[in-house]
Amino acid sequence: SQKIEQNSEALNIQEGKTATLTCNYTNYSPAYLQWYRQDPGRGPVFLLLIRENEKEKRKERLKVTFDTTLKQSLFHITASQPADSATYLCALESEGSYIPTFGRGTSLIVHP
Amino acid sequence: DAEITQSPRHKITETGRQVTLACHQTWNHNNMFWYRQDLGHGLRLIHYSYGVHDTNKGEVSDGYSVSRSNTEDLPLTLESAASSQTSVYFCASSATSTGAYGYTFGSGTRLTVV
C-alpha cells in the first residue's frame, strides 16, 4: 500500500542551526512533492514544490531535495528562528492521479 | 486580495443532524478539495471537484456529500452527523488540475458532534 512517512517525534533545535525534516514514501510514482507549514489552529500554507526530475529547490532560507531512488525528500531551514516553529507537512501527487496525499507532519520547535 | 474562507470556524451539533460547512474562494480556481484532519491520521481527502457540476469521492467520503453549482463555492454536507465525524475540516483550492503551484487552504472548521 502507499505510505508517506514523516517523523512523528518533534524536532528540537537551537536558534541559528539548520533544521532538517524528512519525508519518506513507498509505492508512489510521484510527479510532485510539496512542503507545507501549519501553525496551530490554522490551515496548511504552501511553501515549496519540487518535481520528480528536479534534485533540489531553494527559496530564501528553505531548501528541498528530492531523491526518487531513495524515495525521500529532505526539507532544510537554514539559520532557523523561533518563528519557524510549526508543523511541516509533505504531500505527494502521483503521475496520473494528481490528488495530493499528505504525511502526518513533523513538529519543529526552535529554541531561542 | 483573493482568499479562501470557511464558515463557521467552530460548530457544535447533535448526532443525527444534517450539517453544512461552507467554503468560498475568490481565486477563481477550478479545483477544490475537502479534507479532515485528525490526530494520528493527518489530512485525509473527503471529496474534490475539478469544476462546476463535477464532484468526486475521496478516501473517506462515506457520510459526506458535496455539490458544485459555481466556481467559488464547494459546501460540504454531513447527511446525519456522527461522533466519528468530530474533526477539523479544511477546504483547499488549486489553479491547475495538477498541484504544480501548490494548494491554498482555508483556516478550517472545527466540528464537534455530541
Side-chain angles (χ1 to χ4, degrees), chain A residues 32 34 36 38 41-46 49 51 89 93 97-105, chain B residues 9 33 35 37 40-43 45 48 50 90 97-103 105-108:
Chain A
Y32 306 100
Q34 305 168 17
Y36 291 78
Q38 187 174 23
R42 309 295 295 176
V45 175
F46 173 70
L49 175 146
R51 292 173 170 77
L89 309 172
E93 287 189 39
S97 166
Y98 301 115
I99 301 294
T101 301
F102 286 81
R104 296 179 186 181
Chain B
R9 286 282 281 147
F33 305 81
Y35 287 87
Q37 188 173 40
H41 286 282
L43 283 161
L45 183 65
Y48 59 101
Y50 286 143
F90 289 103
S97 58
T98 71
Y101 301 98
Y103 294 79
F105 281 81
S107 294

mmCIF file of all heavy atoms in Angstrom, chain A residues 32 34 36 38 41-46 49 51 89 93 97-105, chain B residues 9 33 35 37 40-43 45 48 50 90 97-103 105-108:
data_model
loop_
_atom_site.group_PDB
_atom_site.id
_atom_site.type_symbol
_atom_site.label_atom_id
_atom_site.label_comp_id
_atom_site.label_asym_id
_atom_site.label_seq_id
_atom_site.Cartn_x
_atom_site.Cartn_y
_atom_site.Cartn_z
ATOM 1 N N TYR A 32 4.928 15.278 -8.254
ATOM 2 C CA TYR A 32 5.283 16.470 -7.481
ATOM 3 C C TYR A 32 5.358 16.104 -6.012
ATOM 4 O O TYR A 32 4.607 15.268 -5.530
ATOM 5 C CB TYR A 32 4.219 17.572 -7.616
ATOM 6 C CG TYR A 32 3.890 17.968 -9.023
ATOM 7 C CD1 TYR A 32 2.757 17.471 -9.641
ATOM 8 C CD2 TYR A 32 4.697 18.861 -9.717
ATOM 9 C CE1 TYR A 32 2.433 17.839 -10.931
ATOM 10 C CE2 TYR A 32 4.380 19.236 -11.006
ATOM 11 C CZ TYR A 32 3.255 18.716 -11.614
ATOM 12 O OH TYR A 32 2.941 19.083 -12.893
ATOM 13 N N GLN A 34 5.401 18.323 -2.374
ATOM 14 C CA GLN A 34 5.196 19.668 -1.843
ATOM 15 C C GLN A 34 5.451 19.678 -0.343
ATOM 16 O O GLN A 34 5.257 18.672 0.341
ATOM 17 C CB GLN A 34 3.752 20.114 -2.099
ATOM 18 C CG GLN A 34 3.336 20.051 -3.548
ATOM 19 C CD GLN A 34 1.845 20.212 -3.721
ATOM 20 O OE1 GLN A 34 1.142 20.666 -2.830
ATOM 21 N NE2 GLN A 34 1.342 19.843 -4.885
ATOM 22 N N TYR A 36 4.492 21.998 3.175
ATOM 23 C CA TYR A 36 3.582 22.981 3.752
ATOM 24 C C TYR A 36 3.971 23.243 5.201
ATOM 25 O O TYR A 36 4.494 22.370 5.882
ATOM 26 C CB TYR A 36 2.137 22.473 3.731
ATOM 27 C CG TYR A 36 1.528 22.375 2.359
ATOM 28 C CD1 TYR A 36 1.830 21.311 1.522
ATOM 29 C CD2 TYR A 36 0.657 23.361 1.890
ATOM 30 C CE1 TYR A 36 1.283 21.230 0.255
ATOM 31 C CE2 TYR A 36 0.096 23.282 0.622
ATOM 32 C CZ TYR A 36 0.417 22.216 -0.186
ATOM 33 O OH TYR A 36 -0.130 22.137 -1.444
ATOM 34 N N GLN A 38 2.172 24.394 8.864
ATOM 35 C CA GLN A 38 0.892 24.544 9.542
ATOM 36 C C GLN A 38 1.116 25.023 10.960
ATOM 37 O O GLN A 38 1.828 24.384 11.738
ATOM 38 C CB GLN A 38 0.088 23.240 9.534
ATOM 39 C CG GLN A 38 -1.317 23.420 10.098
ATOM 40 C CD GLN A 38 -2.164 22.175 9.959
ATOM 41 O OE1 GLN A 38 -1.674 21.064 9.844
ATOM 42 N NE2 GLN A 38 -3.485 22.354 9.963
ATOM 43 N N GLY A 41 -4.209 25.796 14.884
ATOM 44 C CA GLY A 41 -5.474 26.465 14.609
ATOM 45 C C GLY A 41 -5.583 27.093 13.239
ATOM 46 O O GLY A 41 -6.538 27.832 12.971
ATOM 47 N N ARG A 42 -4.616 26.794 12.367
ATOM 48 C CA ARG A 42 -4.619 27.381 11.029
ATOM 49 C C ARG A 42 -4.528 26.291 9.974
ATOM 50 O O ARG A 42 -4.175 25.144 10.260
ATOM 51 C CB ARG A 42 -3.434 28.332 10.848
ATOM 52 C CG ARG A 42 -3.263 29.383 11.931
ATOM 53 C CD ARG A 42 -4.416 30.353 11.955
ATOM 54 N NE ARG A 42 -4.485 31.156 10.737
ATOM 55 C CZ ARG A 42 -5.458 32.036 10.490
ATOM 56 N NH1 ARG A 42 -6.419 32.203 11.362
ATOM 57 N NH2 ARG A 42 -5.443 32.728 9.383
ATOM 58 N N GLY A 43 -4.855 26.645 8.728
ATOM 59 C CA GLY A 43 -4.693 25.709 7.632
ATOM 60 C C GLY A 43 -3.255 25.659 7.154
ATOM 61 O O GLY A 43 -2.473 26.581 7.413
ATOM 62 N N PRO A 44 -2.884 24.585 6.463
ATOM 63 C CA PRO A 44 -1.530 24.499 5.916
ATOM 64 C C PRO A 44 -1.273 25.622 4.915
ATOM 65 O O PRO A 44 -2.178 26.052 4.196
ATOM 66 C CB PRO A 44 -1.529 23.136 5.215
ATOM 67 C CG PRO A 44 -2.616 22.359 5.874
ATOM 68 C CD PRO A 44 -3.667 23.369 6.222
ATOM 69 N N VAL A 45 -0.027 26.059 4.871
ATOM 70 C CA VAL A 45 0.405 27.092 3.926
ATOM 71 C C VAL A 45 1.478 26.511 3.026
ATOM 72 O O VAL A 45 2.478 25.962 3.512
ATOM 73 C CB VAL A 45 0.940 28.332 4.672
ATOM 74 C CG1 VAL A 45 1.505 29.349 3.686
ATOM 75 C CG2 VAL A 45 -0.162 28.969 5.510
ATOM 76 N N PHE A 46 1.280 26.617 1.736
ATOM 77 C CA PHE A 46 2.220 26.081 0.749
ATOM 78 C C PHE A 46 3.558 26.809 0.823
ATOM 79 O O PHE A 46 3.595 28.048 0.871
ATOM 80 C CB PHE A 46 1.621 26.223 -0.646
ATOM 81 C CG PHE A 46 2.557 25.861 -1.754
ATOM 82 C CD1 PHE A 46 2.929 24.553 -1.964
ATOM 83 C CD2 PHE A 46 3.073 26.841 -2.583
ATOM 84 C CE1 PHE A 46 3.790 24.213 -2.990
ATOM 85 C CE2 PHE A 46 3.935 26.515 -3.615
ATOM 86 C CZ PHE A 46 4.296 25.203 -3.819
ATOM 87 N N LEU A 49 7.509 23.451 -3.884
ATOM 88 C CA LEU A 49 7.175 22.273 -4.679
ATOM 89 C C LEU A 49 8.415 21.846 -5.447
ATOM 90 O O LEU A 49 9.168 22.683 -5.942
ATOM 91 C CB LEU A 49 6.042 22.602 -5.643
ATOM 92 C CG LEU A 49 5.625 21.530 -6.652
ATOM 93 C CD1 LEU A 49 4.133 21.615 -6.908
ATOM 94 C CD2 LEU A 49 6.381 21.661 -7.966
ATOM 95 N N ARG A 51 9.617 18.930 -8.477
ATOM 96 C CA ARG A 51 9.152 17.961 -9.462
ATOM 97 C C ARG A 51 10.044 16.730 -9.457
ATOM 98 O O ARG A 51 11.188 16.770 -9.005
ATOM 99 C CB ARG A 51 9.113 18.586 -10.847
ATOM 100 C CG ARG A 51 8.045 19.656 -10.989
ATOM 101 C CD ARG A 51 8.122 20.378 -12.320
ATOM 102 N NE ARG A 51 6.973 21.243 -12.553
ATOM 103 C CZ ARG A 51 6.775 22.421 -12.010
ATOM 104 N NH1 ARG A 51 7.681 22.890 -11.200
ATOM 105 N NH2 ARG A 51 5.689 23.120 -12.268
ATOM 106 N N LEU A 89 4.373 19.721 6.833
ATOM 107 C CA LEU A 89 3.741 18.587 6.152
ATOM 108 C C LEU A 89 4.348 18.410 4.768
ATOM 109 O O LEU A 89 4.595 19.405 4.076
ATOM 110 C CB LEU A 89 2.238 18.832 5.974
ATOM 111 C CG LEU A 89 1.419 19.250 7.187
ATOM 112 C CD1 LEU A 89 0.010 19.625 6.760
ATOM 113 C CD2 LEU A 89 1.369 18.127 8.194
ATOM 114 N N GLU A 93 1.951 14.010 -5.056
ATOM 115 C CA GLU A 93 0.984 13.771 -6.120
ATOM 116 C C GLU A 93 1.590 12.775 -7.079
ATOM 117 O O GLU A 93 2.711 12.952 -7.532
ATOM 118 C CB GLU A 93 0.667 15.064 -6.854
ATOM 119 C CG GLU A 93 -0.176 16.017 -6.070
ATOM 120 C CD GLU A 93 -0.628 17.174 -6.910
ATOM 121 O OE1 GLU A 93 -0.959 16.976 -8.086
ATOM 122 O OE2 GLU A 93 -0.620 18.292 -6.387
ATOM 123 N N SER A 97 -2.640 10.681 -11.172
ATOM 124 C CA SER A 97 -3.665 10.903 -10.146
ATOM 125 C C SER A 97 -3.811 12.383 -9.841
ATOM 126 O O SER A 97 -4.898 12.927 -9.886
ATOM 127 C CB SER A 97 -3.305 10.142 -8.868
ATOM 128 O OG SER A 97 -4.088 10.603 -7.796
ATOM 129 N N TYR A 98 -2.695 13.007 -9.499
ATOM 130 C CA TYR A 98 -2.653 14.444 -9.222
ATOM 131 C C TYR A 98 -3.609 14.851 -8.129
ATOM 132 O O TYR A 98 -4.170 15.943 -8.153
ATOM 133 C CB TYR A 98 -2.892 15.253 -10.506
ATOM 134 C CG TYR A 98 -1.862 14.943 -11.560
ATOM 135 C CD1 TYR A 98 -2.216 14.340 -12.759
ATOM 136 C CD2 TYR A 98 -0.514 15.221 -11.338
ATOM 137 C CE1 TYR A 98 -1.259 14.051 -13.715
ATOM 138 C CE2 TYR A 98 0.446 14.923 -12.292
ATOM 139 C CZ TYR A 98 0.066 14.342 -13.474
ATOM 140 O OH TYR A 98 1.014 14.048 -14.421
ATOM 141 N N ILE A 99 -3.842 13.962 -7.182
ATOM 142 C CA ILE A 99 -4.576 14.298 -5.968
ATOM 143 C C ILE A 99 -3.560 14.255 -4.842
ATOM 144 O O ILE A 99 -2.924 13.220 -4.621
ATOM 145 C CB ILE A 99 -5.691 13.285 -5.677
ATOM 146 C CG1 ILE A 99 -6.666 13.229 -6.854
ATOM 147 C CG2 ILE A 99 -6.408 13.639 -4.389
ATOM 148 C CD1 ILE A 99 -7.454 14.483 -7.072
ATOM 149 N N PRO A 100 -3.366 15.340 -4.114
ATOM 150 C CA PRO A 100 -2.317 15.337 -3.085
ATOM 151 C C PRO A 100 -2.665 14.445 -1.903
ATOM 152 O O PRO A 100 -3.786 14.473 -1.403
ATOM 153 C CB PRO A 100 -2.248 16.811 -2.661
ATOM 154 C CG PRO A 100 -3.579 17.369 -2.995
ATOM 155 C CD PRO A 100 -4.066 16.628 -4.205
ATOM 156 N N THR A 101 -1.702 13.658 -1.491
ATOM 157 C CA THR A 101 -1.806 12.863 -0.269
ATOM 158 C C THR A 101 -0.771 13.391 0.701
ATOM 159 O O THR A 101 0.396 13.553 0.343
ATOM 160 C CB THR A 101 -1.552 11.374 -0.553
ATOM 161 O OG1 THR A 101 -2.510 10.929 -1.522
ATOM 162 C CG2 THR A 101 -1.709 10.560 0.717
ATOM 163 N N PHE A 102 -1.201 13.631 1.939
ATOM 164 C CA PHE A 102 -0.348 14.302 2.915
ATOM 165 C C PHE A 102 0.235 13.330 3.922
ATOM 166 O O PHE A 102 -0.415 12.355 4.326
ATOM 167 C CB PHE A 102 -1.156 15.361 3.667
ATOM 168 C CG PHE A 102 -1.448 16.576 2.856
ATOM 169 C CD1 PHE A 102 -2.495 16.593 1.949
ATOM 170 C CD2 PHE A 102 -0.671 17.722 2.980
ATOM 171 C CE1 PHE A 102 -2.767 17.711 1.181
ATOM 172 C CE2 PHE A 102 -0.923 18.844 2.219
ATOM 173 C CZ PHE A 102 -1.974 18.839 1.318
ATOM 174 N N GLY A 103 1.455 13.617 4.345
ATOM 175 C CA GLY A 103 2.019 12.969 5.512
ATOM 176 C C GLY A 103 1.404 13.575 6.770
ATOM 177 O O GLY A 103 0.681 14.578 6.710
ATOM 178 N N ARG A 104 1.726 12.963 7.920
ATOM 179 C CA ARG A 104 1.126 13.429 9.170
ATOM 180 C C ARG A 104 1.815 14.652 9.742
ATOM 181 O O ARG A 104 1.307 15.291 10.657
ATOM 182 C CB ARG A 104 1.134 12.296 10.194
ATOM 183 C CG ARG A 104 0.276 11.135 9.784
ATOM 184 C CD ARG A 104 0.327 10.011 10.801
ATOM 185 N NE ARG A 104 -0.400 8.850 10.317
ATOM 186 C CZ ARG A 104 -0.540 7.731 10.989
ATOM 187 N NH1 ARG A 104 -0.017 7.602 12.205
ATOM 188 N NH2 ARG A 104 -1.210 6.714 10.481
ATOM 189 N N GLY A 105 2.977 14.971 9.209
ATOM 190 C CA GLY A 105 3.666 16.179 9.645
ATOM 191 C C GLY A 105 4.657 15.936 10.763
ATOM 192 O O GLY A 105 4.532 14.974 11.533
ATOM 193 N N ARG B 9 -16.289 28.878 11.870
ATOM 194 C CA ARG B 9 -14.967 28.452 12.377
ATOM 195 C C ARG B 9 -15.114 27.335 13.399
ATOM 196 O O ARG B 9 -14.271 26.454 13.483
ATOM 197 C CB ARG B 9 -14.256 29.639 13.020
ATOM 198 C CG ARG B 9 -13.734 30.625 12.013
ATOM 199 C CD ARG B 9 -12.444 30.121 11.367
ATOM 200 N NE ARG B 9 -11.297 30.328 12.238
ATOM 201 C CZ ARG B 9 -10.248 29.521 12.283
ATOM 202 N NH1 ARG B 9 -10.188 28.445 11.531
ATOM 203 N NH2 ARG B 9 -9.233 29.778 13.099
ATOM 204 N N PHE B 33 -11.112 21.125 -2.857
ATOM 205 C CA PHE B 33 -10.948 19.889 -2.110
ATOM 206 C C PHE B 33 -11.458 20.078 -0.676
ATOM 207 O O PHE B 33 -11.362 21.173 -0.122
ATOM 208 C CB PHE B 33 -9.459 19.506 -2.023
ATOM 209 C CG PHE B 33 -8.768 19.412 -3.356
ATOM 210 C CD1 PHE B 33 -8.317 20.547 -4.004
ATOM 211 C CD2 PHE B 33 -8.557 18.181 -3.953
ATOM 212 C CE1 PHE B 33 -7.666 20.469 -5.230
ATOM 213 C CE2 PHE B 33 -7.908 18.089 -5.177
ATOM 214 C CZ PHE B 33 -7.472 19.231 -5.817
ATOM 215 N N TYR B 35 -10.770 18.259 3.095
ATOM 216 C CA TYR B 35 -10.006 17.329 3.903
ATOM 217 C C TYR B 35 -10.517 17.390 5.345
ATOM 218 O O TYR B 35 -11.026 18.402 5.785
ATOM 219 C CB TYR B 35 -8.521 17.712 3.940
ATOM 220 C CG TYR B 35 -7.760 17.455 2.662
ATOM 221 C CD1 TYR B 35 -7.724 18.397 1.644
ATOM 222 C CD2 TYR B 35 -7.056 16.267 2.490
ATOM 223 C CE1 TYR B 35 -7.007 18.153 0.478
ATOM 224 C CE2 TYR B 35 -6.336 16.023 1.325
ATOM 225 C CZ TYR B 35 -6.324 16.977 0.334
ATOM 226 O OH TYR B 35 -5.608 16.736 -0.816
ATOM 227 N N GLN B 37 -8.856 16.600 9.284
ATOM 228 C CA GLN B 37 -7.577 16.391 9.959
ATOM 229 C C GLN B 37 -7.829 15.918 11.372
ATOM 230 O O GLN B 37 -8.494 16.590 12.157
ATOM 231 C CB GLN B 37 -6.751 17.671 9.968
ATOM 232 C CG GLN B 37 -5.329 17.468 10.483
ATOM 233 C CD GLN B 37 -4.467 18.713 10.324
ATOM 234 O OE1 GLN B 37 -4.932 19.833 10.547
ATOM 235 N NE2 GLN B 37 -3.208 18.536 9.927
ATOM 236 N N GLY B 40 -3.172 11.678 14.620
ATOM 237 C CA GLY B 40 -2.781 10.322 14.263
ATOM 238 C C GLY B 40 -3.113 9.931 12.834
ATOM 239 O O GLY B 40 -2.684 8.877 12.366
ATOM 240 N N HIS B 41 -3.878 10.787 12.135
ATOM 241 C CA HIS B 41 -4.237 10.450 10.758
ATOM 242 C C HIS B 41 -3.770 11.489 9.753
ATOM 243 O O HIS B 41 -3.752 11.241 8.569
ATOM 244 C CB HIS B 41 -5.749 10.290 10.624
ATOM 245 C CG HIS B 41 -6.276 9.023 11.211
ATOM 246 N ND1 HIS B 41 -6.170 7.804 10.575
ATOM 247 C CD2 HIS B 41 -6.891 8.788 12.388
ATOM 248 C CE1 HIS B 41 -6.713 6.877 11.332
ATOM 249 N NE2 HIS B 41 -7.158 7.432 12.438
ATOM 250 N N GLY B 42 -3.457 12.651 10.173
ATOM 251 C CA GLY B 42 -3.093 13.682 9.210
ATOM 252 C C GLY B 42 -4.306 14.129 8.415
ATOM 253 O O GLY B 42 -5.460 13.921 8.805
ATOM 254 N N LEU B 43 -4.051 14.712 7.267
ATOM 255 C CA LEU B 43 -5.110 15.205 6.393
ATOM 256 C C LEU B 43 -5.606 14.070 5.497
ATOM 257 O O LEU B 43 -4.822 13.439 4.790
ATOM 258 C CB LEU B 43 -4.570 16.335 5.508
ATOM 259 C CG LEU B 43 -4.388 17.698 6.159
ATOM 260 C CD1 LEU B 43 -3.442 18.555 5.345
ATOM 261 C CD2 LEU B 43 -5.727 18.385 6.316
ATOM 262 N N LEU B 45 -8.521 13.037 2.490
ATOM 263 C CA LEU B 45 -9.371 13.625 1.468
ATOM 264 C C LEU B 45 -10.795 13.086 1.555
ATOM 265 O O LEU B 45 -11.006 11.861 1.585
ATOM 266 C CB LEU B 45 -8.781 13.328 0.086
ATOM 267 C CG LEU B 45 -9.495 13.918 -1.123
ATOM 268 C CD1 LEU B 45 -9.429 15.446 -1.096
ATOM 269 C CD2 LEU B 45 -8.883 13.374 -2.404
ATOM 270 N N TYR B 48 -13.658 16.013 -3.764
ATOM 271 C CA TYR B 48 -12.989 17.046 -4.537
ATOM 272 C C TYR B 48 -13.778 17.320 -5.815
ATOM 273 O O TYR B 48 -14.604 16.505 -6.245
ATOM 274 C CB TYR B 48 -11.533 16.692 -4.849
ATOM 275 C CG TYR B 48 -11.321 15.412 -5.632
ATOM 276 C CD1 TYR B 48 -11.061 15.447 -6.992
ATOM 277 C CD2 TYR B 48 -11.344 14.180 -4.985
ATOM 278 C CE1 TYR B 48 -10.841 14.282 -7.698
ATOM 279 C CE2 TYR B 48 -11.124 13.010 -5.689
ATOM 280 C CZ TYR B 48 -10.877 13.054 -7.034
ATOM 281 O OH TYR B 48 -10.664 11.899 -7.738
ATOM 282 N N TYR B 50 -13.315 19.261 -9.835
ATOM 283 C CA TYR B 50 -12.449 19.877 -10.840
ATOM 284 C C TYR B 50 -13.159 21.008 -11.588
ATOM 285 O O TYR B 50 -12.587 21.593 -12.512
ATOM 286 C CB TYR B 50 -11.950 18.842 -11.839
ATOM 287 C CG TYR B 50 -10.886 17.917 -11.299
ATOM 288 C CD1 TYR B 50 -10.848 16.577 -11.668
ATOM 289 C CD2 TYR B 50 -9.906 18.375 -10.430
ATOM 290 C CE1 TYR B 50 -9.856 15.730 -11.184
ATOM 291 C CE2 TYR B 50 -8.916 17.531 -9.940
ATOM 292 C CZ TYR B 50 -8.907 16.214 -10.324
ATOM 293 O OH TYR B 50 -7.930 15.375 -9.847
ATOM 294 N N PHE B 90 -10.843 21.088 6.539
ATOM 295 C CA PHE B 90 -10.157 22.095 5.735
ATOM 296 C C PHE B 90 -10.605 22.011 4.281
ATOM 297 O O PHE B 90 -10.700 20.932 3.709
ATOM 298 C CB PHE B 90 -8.635 21.902 5.789
ATOM 299 C CG PHE B 90 -8.029 22.261 7.109
ATOM 300 C CD1 PHE B 90 -7.658 21.279 8.006
ATOM 301 C CD2 PHE B 90 -7.808 23.595 7.432
ATOM 302 C CE1 PHE B 90 -7.095 21.613 9.224
ATOM 303 C CE2 PHE B 90 -7.239 23.934 8.647
ATOM 304 C CZ PHE B 90 -6.889 22.941 9.548
ATOM 305 N N SER B 97 -5.061 21.420 -12.689
ATOM 306 C CA SER B 97 -5.511 20.057 -12.409
ATOM 307 C C SER B 97 -4.403 19.241 -11.772
ATOM 308 O O SER B 97 -4.644 18.170 -11.246
ATOM 309 C CB SER B 97 -5.997 19.373 -13.677
ATOM 310 O OG SER B 97 -4.965 19.363 -14.637
ATOM 311 N N THR B 98 -3.202 19.736 -11.797
ATOM 312 C CA THR B 98 -2.121 19.163 -11.006
ATOM 313 C C THR B 98 -1.777 20.172 -9.924
ATOM 314 O O THR B 98 -2.241 21.300 -9.957
ATOM 315 C CB THR B 98 -0.867 18.923 -11.844
ATOM 316 O OG1 THR B 98 -0.286 20.190 -12.172
ATOM 317 C CG2 THR B 98 -1.196 18.187 -13.115
ATOM 318 N N GLY B 99 -1.000 19.776 -9.007
ATOM 319 C CA GLY B 99 -0.613 20.691 -7.923
ATOM 320 C C GLY B 99 0.626 21.486 -8.249
ATOM 321 O O GLY B 99 1.405 21.808 -7.353
ATOM 322 N N ALA B 100 0.767 21.827 -9.514
ATOM 323 C CA ALA B 100 2.034 22.420 -9.953
ATOM 324 C C ALA B 100 2.366 23.722 -9.249
ATOM 325 O O ALA B 100 3.521 24.134 -9.244
ATOM 326 C CB ALA B 100 2.005 22.621 -11.463
ATOM 327 N N TYR B 101 1.376 24.354 -8.672
ATOM 328 C CA TYR B 101 1.625 25.608 -7.968
ATOM 329 C C TYR B 101 1.177 25.538 -6.518
ATOM 330 O O TYR B 101 1.001 26.557 -5.865
ATOM 331 C CB TYR B 101 0.927 26.760 -8.702
ATOM 332 C CG TYR B 101 1.417 26.896 -10.121
ATOM 333 C CD1 TYR B 101 0.703 26.352 -11.179
ATOM 334 C CD2 TYR B 101 2.620 27.539 -10.397
ATOM 335 C CE1 TYR B 101 1.161 26.442 -12.478
ATOM 336 C CE2 TYR B 101 3.091 27.631 -11.693
ATOM 337 C CZ TYR B 101 2.359 27.089 -12.728
ATOM 338 O OH TYR B 101 2.821 27.176 -14.009
ATOM 339 N N GLY B 102 0.978 24.338 -6.014
ATOM 340 C CA GLY B 102 0.571 24.190 -4.635
ATOM 341 C C GLY B 102 -0.917 24.395 -4.448
ATOM 342 O O GLY B 102 -1.647 24.714 -5.383
ATOM 343 N N TYR B 103 -1.340 24.197 -3.228
ATOM 344 C CA TYR B 103 -2.750 24.303 -2.866
ATOM 345 C C TYR B 103 -2.915 25.390 -1.813
ATOM 346 O O TYR B 103 -2.070 25.560 -0.937
ATOM 347 C CB TYR B 103 -3.258 22.964 -2.328
ATOM 348 C CG TYR B 103 -3.263 21.898 -3.386
ATOM 349 C CD1 TYR B 103 -2.089 21.245 -3.739
ATOM 350 C CD2 TYR B 103 -4.429 21.577 -4.070
ATOM 351 C CE1 TYR B 103 -2.074 20.294 -4.736
ATOM 352 C CE2 TYR B 103 -4.417 20.620 -5.071
ATOM 353 C CZ TYR B 103 -3.234 19.988 -5.404
ATOM 354 O OH TYR B 103 -3.226 19.053 -6.409
ATOM 355 N N PHE B 105 -5.183 26.715 1.295
ATOM 356 C CA PHE B 105 -6.114 26.182 2.285
ATOM 357 C C PHE B 105 -6.857 27.291 3.018
ATOM 358 O O PHE B 105 -6.325 28.393 3.218
ATOM 359 C CB PHE B 105 -5.354 25.350 3.336
ATOM 360 C CG PHE B 105 -4.992 23.968 2.878
ATOM 361 C CD1 PHE B 105 -3.880 23.754 2.086
ATOM 362 C CD2 PHE B 105 -5.776 22.880 3.234
ATOM 363 C CE1 PHE B 105 -3.539 22.481 1.654
ATOM 364 C CE2 PHE B 105 -5.449 21.601 2.817
ATOM 365 C CZ PHE B 105 -4.329 21.404 2.019
ATOM 366 N N GLY B 106 -8.085 26.972 3.433
ATOM 367 C CA GLY B 106 -8.794 27.833 4.350
ATOM 368 C C GLY B 106 -8.291 27.630 5.775
ATOM 369 O O GLY B 106 -7.410 26.795 6.023
ATOM 370 N N SER B 107 -8.865 28.369 6.705
ATOM 371 C CA SER B 107 -8.424 28.315 8.103
ATOM 372 C C SER B 107 -9.062 27.190 8.894
ATOM 373 O O SER B 107 -8.687 26.962 10.043
ATOM 374 C CB SER B 107 -8.715 29.643 8.793
ATOM 375 O OG SER B 107 -7.928 30.672 8.218
ATOM 376 N N GLY B 108 -10.024 26.504 8.278
ATOM 377 C CA GLY B 108 -10.584 25.323 8.917
ATOM 378 C C GLY B 108 -11.873 25.578 9.683
ATOM 379 O O GLY B 108 -12.167 26.690 10.106
#
